Amino acid sequence: MKSPLAPELRAAIWMIGSIVSFSFMAVAGRWLAAEYDTFEIMLYRSLMGVVVVFAFGAAFGTLGQITRATAPVQLVRNLFHFAGQNLWFFAITVIPLAQVFALEFTSPIWVLILSPIFLGERLTRPRVIAAVLGFIGILIVTRPGATPMNIGIVAAALSAICFAATGMLTKRLTRTESLTCILAYLTVTQLVFGIICAGYDGDIALPTAQSAPLLAMVGLAGLIAHLCLTKALSIAPATVVMPIDFTRLPMIAVIGMLVFGEMLDPWVFVGAALIFAGNYYNIWSETRKAQVSG
């Protein structure tokens, strides 16, 4: 049955789900940091992911799609993702949430820079312009010299690079592998990484009655956020979805102010706007080129 709602409106509804889920994950992660280290948070998030992915795979009969054909690429991808997620969870505990989200938006810029190396794609003029705008935005958000550089900013920036590498390898995998296969490898390998890293000192903090709901929220929110984002992109073009996704920044800034007493920094918004402009210009150029060639 065809939906009576326009594709743009349906995409916007899905994006609201993504934005709310990402925000819940950030707030829950900040609260959990008082009791758990980032490896432990990732361990329980991955455990929740394994349960959900395999339950849905069994329900929809897609577990047979999990193969060993791309296991080495899956492993490398998930190492980057595990590193990026741990760096992200660490960053939200030491710098304002808005600054973390602003630097996270640089991930597509890093894809533009790294894709000629890893995917053999050509570095076009629009991509160069987008990258330059993005880096100017990074300088405004971090303001080296005006504000002290700290480990939280470095962690957030490195997480964006890890997410860029994850995205490029995901693009390779989607050419041959199903969503169930990719998510199964992701959740299982990250659970193993989490157990190893969280248990290296022989001490893994167990869930309590108070923390268990927050740990479950982190696990579910991460899956729901990416599901909603993927669904929105399948309904409407990135030129429609991306501006909606950008509203994550002012939303998390307000949440950070109300829940954690963080100051609203106008320079973060200025820099993030330039990062967004670079990303959007590249998407618009690619879309226009595709329409002309089509």
Side-chain angles (χ1 to χ4, degrees):
M1 181 178 176
K2 187 176 180 180
S3 173
L5 300 177
E8 292 79 9
L9 182 56
R10 284 188 287 132
I13 293 171
W14 281 104
M15 282 308 300
I16 290 171
S18 175
I19 291 164
V20 171
S21 297
F22 274 126
S23 300
F24 269 119
M25 187 170 68
V27 172
R30 171 75 70 85
W31 280 334
L32 286 167
E35 192 173 347
Y36 299 89
D37 61 39
T38 57
F39 292 132
E40 291 167 338
I41 294 173
M42 280 298 297
L43 186 160
Y44 291 116
R45 179 190 173 181
S46 300
L47 179 60
M48 175 66 71
V50 167
V51 172
V52 172
V53 169
F54 279 83
F56 274 88
F60 290 97
T62 57
L63 292 180
Q65 298 171 358
I66 303 172
T67 69
R68 291 180 292 177
T70 55
V73 179
Q74 300 267 15
L75 180 62
V76 173
R77 171 193 182 269
N78 296 333
L79 278 169
F80 275 115
H81 193 266
F82 183 76
Q85 283 285 271
N86 276 284
L87 289 164
W88 187 87
F89 274 116
F90 174 74
I92 64 174
T93 67
V94 292
I95 61 174
L97 296 178
Q99 199 168 33
V100 176
F101 275 52
L103 291 170
E104 184 186 349
F105 280 121
T106 65
S107 186
I109 300 295
W110 289 108
V111 171
L112 296 181
I113 295 168
L114 297 175
S115 58
I117 301 171
F118 292 100
L119 297 177
E121 296 182 355
R122 194 163 58 91
L123 192 61
T124 61
R125 181 180 174 185
R127 292 184 177 187
V128 172
I129 293 173
V132 170
L133 286 174
F135 274 110
I136 294 173
I138 292 171
L139 292 175
I140 294 174
V141 170
T142 58
R143 280 174 294 155
T147 57
M149 184 64 66
N150 61 63
I151 193 170
I153 292 174
V154 173
L158 288 175
S159 74
I161 297 174
C162 288
F163 290 148
T166 302
M168 288 184 294
L169 291 171
T170 303
K171 185 175 179 180
R172 281 183 56 182
L173 289 168
T174 53
R175 295 170 184 168
T176 57
E177 304 299 332
S178 70
L179 183 61
T180 297
C181 181
I182 293 171
L183 289 178
Y185 270 100
L186 172 66
T187 54
V188 170
T189 54
Q190 293 207 135
L191 177 59
V192 174
F193 297 155
I195 292 172
I196 294 171
C197 293
Y200 77 96
D201 57 357
D203 181 23
I204 297 178
L206 298 175
T208 63
Q210 293 75 29
S211 66
L214 291 175
L215 290 168
M217 182 186 295
V218 167
L220 287 174
L223 286 173
I224 293 171
H226 288 289
L227 173 65
C228 290
L229 179 59
T230 303
K231 185 66 177 178
L233 287 168
S234 71
I235 295 171
T239 49
V240 173
V241 172
M242 193 175 170
I244 303 172
D245 187 37
F246 190 71
T247 61
R248 268 199 292 149
L249 180 62
M251 180 176 177
I252 202 63
V254 171
I255 290 172
M257 179 183 66
L258 296 176
V259 179
F260 301 110
E262 296 177 353
M263 297 295 292
L264 291 177
D265 185 351
W267 287 111
V268 171
F269 289 90
V270 173
L274 275 176
I275 294 168
F276 165 78
N279 288 330
Y280 191 82
Y281 174 68
N282 178 61
I283 292 173
W284 176 81
S285 300
E286 294 291 332
T287 303
R288 186 181 178 189
K289 183 173 67 175
Q291 290 173 345
V292 171
S293 61

